[in-house]
């Protein structure tokens, strides 16, 4: 148990739809990162939030957006879904510095048809 | 930009065999290095870490040494068990904030 929970576990959407994924961080962690893990690949960094502000972004288009709330829970929103968005989306939380341990949730598997 | 390259799998070993999974990295500055493990049906778990050159991370019989001169962080275990079957990811976290992962190496251990 990492203390990081994600919901839903699995969902199916069709191309063009919008989706919201949720993450509850481990207690005391003020930094959350989101990753996309395509089948058979390593996780790819999407973005990071620190104290409700985005402070880093990977090579993902603007239709990937996020929010972090005062209680440090967070959301990942994806608009105009494409088939290639099918992947497992991972949330990870940590307390502060880049060398600190990240704790990962079990992920949300998104299938886009 | 920063990157991580690890050996392709799958790697298939018999129980009690010696394991090496190679990992090399490219980064500016002095990144922290990690090995994560993903067991079937589970999320990513940190296996071990090293934050500076010549540090050795170790956990559950696994070891990896941060080699700055060869930009490597190879994972080793002296005697693998069936329960070690999983996907192993090498990763780095640099002066920025994101963690960069390798593509993963799947390990199968036969009884």
């Amino acid at each position: 148990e990492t203390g990081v929970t994600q919901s839903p576990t699995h969902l199916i959407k069709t191309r063009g739809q919008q989706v919201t994924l949720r993450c509850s961080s481990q207690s005391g962690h003020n930094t959350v990162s989101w990753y996309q893990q395509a089948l058979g690949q390593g996780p790819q960094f999407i973005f990071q939030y620190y104290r409700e502000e985005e402070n880093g972004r990977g090579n993902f288009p603007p239709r990937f957006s996020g929010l972090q709330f005062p209680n440090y829970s967070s959301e990942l929103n994806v608009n105009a879904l494409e088939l290639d968005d099918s992947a497992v989306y991972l949330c990870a939380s940590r307390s502060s510095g880049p060398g600190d341990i990240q704790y990962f949730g079990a992920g949300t598997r998104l299938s886009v048809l | 930009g920063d990157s991580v390259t690890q050996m392709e799998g799958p790697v298939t070993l018999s129980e009690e065999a010696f394991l090496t999974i190679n990992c090399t990295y490219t980064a500016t500055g002095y990144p922290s290095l990690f090995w994560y493990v993903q067991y079937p049906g589970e999320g990513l778990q940190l296996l071990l870490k090293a934050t500076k050159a010549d540090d050795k991370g170790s956990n559950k019989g696994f070891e990896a040494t941060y080699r700055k001169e060869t930009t490597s962080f190879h994972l080793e275990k002296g005697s693998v068990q069936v329960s070690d079957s999983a996907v192993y990811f090498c990763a780095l976290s640099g002066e920025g904030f994101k963690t960069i992962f390798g593509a993963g190496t799947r390990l199968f251990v036969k009884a």
Side-chain angles (χ1 to χ4, degrees), chain A residues 2 33 35 37 40-45 48 55-59 90 94 98-107, chain B residues 32 34 36 38 41-46 49 51 87 89 92-104 106:
Chain A
T2 64
S33 301
Y35 294 82
Q37 187 176 16
Q41 297 183 23
Q44 299 292 314
F45 176 76
Q48 176 175 285
N55 71 342
R57 190 175 185 91
N59 295 325
L90 301 170
R94 58 181 169 82
D100 287 354
I101 295 172
Q102 288 189 106
Y103 294 88
F104 282 84
Chain B
S32 294
F34 307 86
Y36 285 85
Q38 192 169 37
E42 298 184 18
L44 277 170
Q45 301 175 28
L46 179 67
K49 64 179 279 192
T51 57
V87 181
F89 293 92
L92 69 81
S93 179
E95 293 181 3
F97 21 71
K98 62 183 178 181
T99 299
I100 296 172
F101 289 84
R106 184 174 295 276

Side-chain angles (χ1 to χ4, degrees), chain A residues 19-41:
Chain A
V19 68
T20 297
L21 311 182
R22 294 180 174 82
C23 172
S24 176
S25 299
Q26 188 175 84
S27 178
H29 286 182
N30 55 20
T31 302
V32 64
S33 301
W34 285 89
Y35 294 82
Q36 179 194 67
Q37 187 176 16
L39 189 64
Q41 297 183 23

